[in-house]
Amino acid sequence: MNKHMFDEILSKFQLPVTNPVLMFMLVLLIILLSPLLLKKIRVPAVVGFIMAGIAVSPHGLNVLQKNAATDLFSTIGLLYIMFIAGLELDLNDFKQKKHKSLLFGFLTFSVPILIGFPVCYYVLGYPLLTSILTSSMFATHTLVAYPIISRYGISKNEAVAVTVGGTILTDTAVLIILAVVMGSVAGGLTAVFWLRLTASLIVFSLIEFIAIPRLANWFFLRVTNERTTHFIFILFMVFVSAFLAQLAGIEPIVGAFAAGLALNRLVPPGSKLMNQVQFVGNAIFIPFFLISVGMLVDLHVLFNGYHALMIAGVLTVVALAGKWISALITQLVFRYSNAQRGLIFGLSSSHAAATMAIILVGFKARIIDGNILNGTIILILMTCLVASFATEKAAVRITATDGGRNKPLLQKEEVNTGS
């Protein structure tokens, strides 16, 4: 009897862990300990969560596996990052600087593609459609490092507003390219395809920026002093918007960001509702997403031979170079400080969910081969690490010099190409 009980207890700890209670307990332990342990060696918490995800993944110690539960929390975390980015955006400042976001969005979209396509097509020797889809992946970025911005309280800095605005523009453009490429493979680039895509985007925009703000305003006026109810309504709107984006043929992250913009004026900075939104995201959902990003990384692909390692290295260098050049041109055009350039590069250089989505879709359609898939996984790891350290370094410099306030002009002692 005692042996039976002992065996039953041991079975609960077999790897990978399948007990949902134990799984959630382990994730909470990682969220608790990673920032505390890595703070002593000055490693950003974002990096700690990603490294922890690598360690506990099936490719590491095989403690946790990707399943429906981890995918759900990961999706919520990514949507939350995009939602908070839209919610914290200073719309008045953004309207005044929208031409800057448009230019940065164009640069961070076009420069990586202009660099990446020739490399994929001529250097790596991939076919036309493969090169187009792979080079479009270089243009995407996920705001993995945005929690660092929130922690340092510099979300109102102009460089952040420009980068966040550019993010939604470039990701939307890349996802439209994905739809076009997949339509081309299926032979569906007809007038009906273009008409449906245009109409769905127009309807989505009308719902997001006219219907949802009015509905939210009506709800808040009639349901007062109900902080929990207000928070649930906000969360519901995020997922409604994400689902509407899917129906429109674009990625849910676009819908989540649009929800943040739509509700921006109704959830003012420093309000109790804003504190609730930030607390829940920073405590649970966003760390869970970062851990899940780490769980995608398979370091074993580094040992699959010289060719796989070479492709991984080329993809990573091209991805980082394209984003750095985009940030540099933006700095030179708008006379930003070197710290602001670092902030733009840090926020825009990390590739994660959107990148993986594009590559997986291409892989399943047999446009992308296994070498690019494995190389992209390494790219995700390296760019997330570089982005986190770059953002942390830039945030420290900005808070040390001006407390995070908006200072668009170059400091006299800085030079454009310095660091």
Side-chain angles (χ1 to χ4, degrees), residues 138-171:
F138 296 132
T140 69
H141 56 260
T142 303
L143 296 175
V144 167
Y146 192 83
I148 297 174
I149 300 299
S150 295
R151 180 158 54 86
Y152 279 90
I154 56 174
S155 60
K156 303 300 182 184
N157 191 282
E158 182 179 303
V160 177
V162 168
T163 307
V164 172
T167 297
I168 198 66
L169 294 172
T170 187
D171 278 2

Short mmCIF file of all heavy atoms in Angstrom, two decimals, residues 138-171:
data_model
loop_
_atom_site.label_atom_id
_atom_site.label_comp_id
_atom_site.label_asym_id
_atom_site.label_seq_id
_atom_site.Cartn_x
_atom_site.Cartn_y
_atom_site.Cartn_z
N PHE A 138 11.73 39.19 -42.42
CA PHE A 138 12.70 40.12 -41.82
C PHE A 138 12.05 41.44 -41.43
O PHE A 138 12.52 42.13 -40.53
CB PHE A 138 13.85 40.40 -42.80
CG PHE A 138 14.68 39.20 -43.13
CD1 PHE A 138 15.00 38.91 -44.45
CD2 PHE A 138 15.14 38.36 -42.14
CE1 PHE A 138 15.78 37.80 -44.77
CE2 PHE A 138 15.91 37.24 -42.44
CZ PHE A 138 16.22 36.96 -43.76
N ALA A 139 10.98 41.81 -42.13
CA ALA A 139 10.34 43.11 -41.88
C ALA A 139 9.45 43.10 -40.65
O ALA A 139 9.16 44.17 -40.09
CB ALA A 139 9.51 43.52 -43.11
N THR A 140 9.00 41.93 -40.21
CA THR A 140 8.13 41.88 -39.04
C THR A 140 8.93 42.12 -37.77
O THR A 140 10.15 41.95 -37.74
CB THR A 140 7.44 40.51 -38.92
OG1 THR A 140 8.41 39.52 -38.58
CG2 THR A 140 6.75 40.13 -40.20
N HIS A 141 8.25 42.52 -36.73
CA HIS A 141 8.85 42.49 -35.39
C HIS A 141 7.75 42.46 -34.35
O HIS A 141 6.64 42.93 -34.59
CB HIS A 141 9.81 43.65 -35.16
CG HIS A 141 9.23 45.01 -35.36
ND1 HIS A 141 9.42 45.75 -36.51
CD2 HIS A 141 8.47 45.78 -34.56
CE1 HIS A 141 8.81 46.90 -36.42
NE2 HIS A 141 8.21 46.96 -35.23
N THR A 142 8.07 41.86 -33.23
CA THR A 142 7.14 41.75 -32.11
C THR A 142 7.69 42.58 -30.96
O THR A 142 8.89 42.56 -30.69
CB THR A 142 7.00 40.28 -31.66
OG1 THR A 142 6.56 39.50 -32.78
CG2 THR A 142 5.98 40.14 -30.54
N LEU A 143 6.83 43.30 -30.27
CA LEU A 143 7.27 44.20 -29.20
C LEU A 143 7.60 43.42 -27.92
O LEU A 143 7.05 43.69 -26.84
CB LEU A 143 6.20 45.25 -28.93
CG LEU A 143 5.92 46.20 -30.09
CD1 LEU A 143 4.76 47.13 -29.76
CD2 LEU A 143 7.16 47.02 -30.46
N VAL A 144 8.51 42.46 -28.06
CA VAL A 144 8.91 41.64 -26.92
C VAL A 144 9.50 42.48 -25.81
O VAL A 144 9.30 42.22 -24.61
CB VAL A 144 9.91 40.55 -27.38
CG1 VAL A 144 10.59 39.89 -26.19
CG2 VAL A 144 9.20 39.50 -28.23
N ALA A 145 10.24 43.52 -26.17
CA ALA A 145 10.94 44.35 -25.18
C ALA A 145 10.06 45.47 -24.63
O ALA A 145 10.54 46.26 -23.81
CB ALA A 145 12.21 44.94 -25.79
N TYR A 146 8.81 45.56 -25.05
CA TYR A 146 7.97 46.67 -24.59
C TYR A 146 7.78 46.69 -23.07
O TYR A 146 7.71 47.78 -22.48
CB TYR A 146 6.60 46.64 -25.28
CG TYR A 146 5.81 47.91 -25.05
CD1 TYR A 146 6.02 49.03 -25.84
CD2 TYR A 146 4.89 48.01 -24.01
CE1 TYR A 146 5.34 50.20 -25.62
CE2 TYR A 146 4.20 49.18 -23.78
CZ TYR A 146 4.42 50.27 -24.59
OH TYR A 146 3.75 51.43 -24.36
N PRO A 147 7.68 45.53 -22.39
CA PRO A 147 7.59 45.59 -20.92
C PRO A 147 8.73 46.35 -20.26
O PRO A 147 8.55 46.94 -19.19
CB PRO A 147 7.60 44.11 -20.51
CG PRO A 147 7.01 43.40 -21.68
CD PRO A 147 7.51 44.15 -22.88
N ILE A 148 9.90 46.38 -20.88
CA ILE A 148 11.02 47.15 -20.34
C ILE A 148 10.68 48.64 -20.39
O ILE A 148 10.97 49.39 -19.46
CB ILE A 148 12.30 46.86 -21.14
CG1 ILE A 148 12.71 45.38 -20.98
CG2 ILE A 148 13.45 47.77 -20.70
CD1 ILE A 148 13.88 44.97 -21.85
N ILE A 149 10.04 49.06 -21.48
CA ILE A 149 9.63 50.46 -21.63
C ILE A 149 8.65 50.84 -20.52
O ILE A 149 8.76 51.89 -19.89
CB ILE A 149 8.98 50.68 -23.01
CG1 ILE A 149 9.96 50.35 -24.13
CG2 ILE A 149 8.45 52.11 -23.14
CD1 ILE A 149 11.20 51.20 -24.13
N SER A 150 7.67 49.97 -20.29
CA SER A 150 6.68 50.23 -19.24
C SER A 150 7.35 50.31 -17.88
O SER A 150 7.00 51.16 -17.05
CB SER A 150 5.61 49.13 -19.26
OG SER A 150 4.88 49.16 -20.46
N ARG A 151 8.30 49.42 -17.63
CA ARG A 151 8.95 49.38 -16.32
C ARG A 151 9.75 50.66 -16.05
O ARG A 151 9.80 51.14 -14.92
CB ARG A 151 9.86 48.15 -16.24
CG ARG A 151 10.61 47.98 -14.92
CD ARG A 151 11.02 46.53 -14.72
NE ARG A 151 11.77 46.04 -15.84
CZ ARG A 151 13.09 46.17 -15.99
NH1 ARG A 151 13.78 46.81 -15.07
NH2 ARG A 151 13.70 45.66 -17.03
N TYR A 152 10.36 51.22 -17.09
CA TYR A 152 11.13 52.45 -16.91
C TYR A 152 10.28 53.71 -17.04
O TYR A 152 10.78 54.82 -16.86
CB TYR A 152 12.28 52.50 -17.93
CG TYR A 152 13.49 51.69 -17.52
CD1 TYR A 152 13.61 50.35 -17.88
CD2 TYR A 152 14.50 52.25 -16.75
CE1 TYR A 152 14.72 49.61 -17.50
CE2 TYR A 152 15.61 51.52 -16.37
CZ TYR A 152 15.71 50.19 -16.75
OH TYR A 152 16.80 49.44 -16.37
N GLY A 153 9.01 53.55 -17.39
CA GLY A 153 8.10 54.69 -17.46
C GLY A 153 8.41 55.67 -18.57
O GLY A 153 8.24 56.88 -18.40
N ILE A 154 8.87 55.16 -19.72
CA ILE A 154 9.24 56.06 -20.82
C ILE A 154 8.35 55.82 -22.05
O ILE A 154 8.77 56.10 -23.18
CB ILE A 154 10.72 55.90 -21.21
CG1 ILE A 154 11.05 54.45 -21.57
CG2 ILE A 154 11.62 56.38 -20.08
CD1 ILE A 154 12.47 54.26 -22.09
N SER A 155 7.14 55.32 -21.83
CA SER A 155 6.25 55.03 -22.96
C SER A 155 5.83 56.29 -23.70
O SER A 155 5.37 56.22 -24.84
CB SER A 155 5.02 54.26 -22.48
OG SER A 155 4.29 55.02 -21.53
N LYS A 156 5.96 57.47 -23.06
CA LYS A 156 5.57 58.73 -23.70
C LYS A 156 6.70 59.31 -24.56
O LYS A 156 6.49 60.31 -25.24
CB LYS A 156 5.16 59.76 -22.65
CG LYS A 156 4.02 59.32 -21.74
CD LYS A 156 2.76 59.02 -22.52
CE LYS A 156 1.62 58.62 -21.59
NZ LYS A 156 0.41 58.22 -22.35
N ASN A 157 7.87 58.70 -24.52
CA ASN A 157 8.97 59.21 -25.33
C ASN A 157 8.61 59.10 -26.81
O ASN A 157 8.02 58.11 -27.25
CB ASN A 157 10.24 58.41 -25.04
CG ASN A 157 11.47 59.05 -25.66
OD1 ASN A 157 11.71 58.92 -26.85
ND2 ASN A 157 12.25 59.74 -24.83
N GLU A 158 8.95 60.12 -27.58
CA GLU A 158 8.57 60.16 -28.99
C GLU A 158 9.09 58.95 -29.77
O GLU A 158 8.40 58.42 -30.66
CB GLU A 158 9.10 61.43 -29.63
CG GLU A 158 8.71 61.58 -31.10
CD GLU A 158 9.22 62.88 -31.69
OE1 GLU A 158 8.88 63.94 -31.13
OE2 GLU A 158 9.96 62.83 -32.69
N ALA A 159 10.28 58.48 -29.44
CA ALA A 159 10.84 57.33 -30.14
C ALA A 159 9.97 56.09 -29.97
O ALA A 159 9.84 55.27 -30.88
CB ALA A 159 12.26 57.06 -29.64
N VAL A 160 9.37 55.95 -28.79
CA VAL A 160 8.48 54.81 -28.53
C VAL A 160 7.22 54.92 -29.37
O VAL A 160 6.79 53.95 -30.00
CB VAL A 160 8.12 54.72 -27.03
CG1 VAL A 160 7.14 53.58 -26.79
CG2 VAL A 160 9.38 54.53 -26.19
N ALA A 161 6.62 56.12 -29.39
CA ALA A 161 5.40 56.33 -30.18
C ALA A 161 5.65 56.06 -31.66
O ALA A 161 4.83 55.42 -32.33
CB ALA A 161 4.89 57.75 -29.97
N VAL A 162 6.78 56.53 -32.16
CA VAL A 162 7.12 56.32 -33.57
C VAL A 162 7.30 54.83 -33.87
O VAL A 162 6.82 54.32 -34.89
CB VAL A 162 8.39 57.11 -33.93
CG1 VAL A 162 8.93 56.70 -35.30
CG2 VAL A 162 8.10 58.61 -33.92
N THR A 163 7.97 54.13 -32.96
CA THR A 163 8.23 52.71 -33.18
C THR A 163 6.96 51.89 -33.11
O THR A 163 6.72 50.99 -33.93
CB THR A 163 9.24 52.18 -32.14
OG1 THR A 163 10.39 53.01 -32.14
CG2 THR A 163 9.66 50.76 -32.47
N VAL A 164 6.13 52.16 -32.12
CA VAL A 164 4.87 51.42 -31.98
C VAL A 164 3.98 51.66 -33.18
O VAL A 164 3.38 50.72 -33.73
CB VAL A 164 4.15 51.81 -30.68
CG1 VAL A 164 2.76 51.19 -30.63
CG2 VAL A 164 4.95 51.34 -29.46
N GLY A 165 3.89 52.90 -33.62
CA GLY A 165 3.10 53.20 -34.81
C GLY A 165 3.64 52.49 -36.03
O GLY A 165 2.88 51.93 -36.84
N GLY A 166 4.97 52.48 -36.17
CA GLY A 166 5.58 51.78 -37.29
C GLY A 166 5.38 50.28 -37.23
O GLY A 166 5.28 49.61 -38.27
N THR A 167 5.31 49.73 -36.02
CA THR A 167 5.12 48.29 -35.84
C THR A 167 3.83 47.82 -36.48
O THR A 167 3.80 46.83 -37.23
CB THR A 167 5.11 47.93 -34.35
OG1 THR A 167 6.37 48.24 -33.78
CG2 THR A 167 4.83 46.44 -34.15
N ILE A 168 2.75 48.53 -36.18
CA ILE A 168 1.46 48.09 -36.69
C ILE A 168 1.40 48.24 -38.21
O ILE A 168 0.80 47.41 -38.91
CB ILE A 168 0.31 48.87 -36.01
CG1 ILE A 168 -1.01 48.14 -36.20
CG2 ILE A 168 0.22 50.28 -36.49
CD1 ILE A 168 -1.07 46.81 -35.52
N LEU A 169 2.08 49.25 -38.74
CA LEU A 169 2.08 49.46 -40.19
C LEU A 169 2.85 48.35 -40.90
O LEU A 169 2.37 47.77 -41.88
CB LEU A 169 2.68 50.83 -40.52
CG LEU A 169 1.88 52.04 -40.05
CD1 LEU A 169 2.68 53.32 -40.25
CD2 LEU A 169 0.56 52.14 -40.79
N THR A 170 4.06 48.06 -40.40
CA THR A 170 4.88 47.06 -41.09
C THR A 170 4.32 45.65 -40.93
O THR A 170 4.31 44.87 -41.88
CB THR A 170 6.34 47.12 -40.60
OG1 THR A 170 7.13 46.25 -41.40
CG2 THR A 170 6.48 46.68 -39.15
N ASP A 171 3.80 45.31 -39.74
CA ASP A 171 3.24 43.97 -39.55
C ASP A 171 2.00 43.77 -40.41
O ASP A 171 1.78 42.69 -40.96
CB ASP A 171 2.93 43.73 -38.08
CG ASP A 171 4.17 43.32 -37.28
OD1 ASP A 171 5.25 43.27 -37.89
OD2 ASP A 171 4.05 43.06 -36.08
#
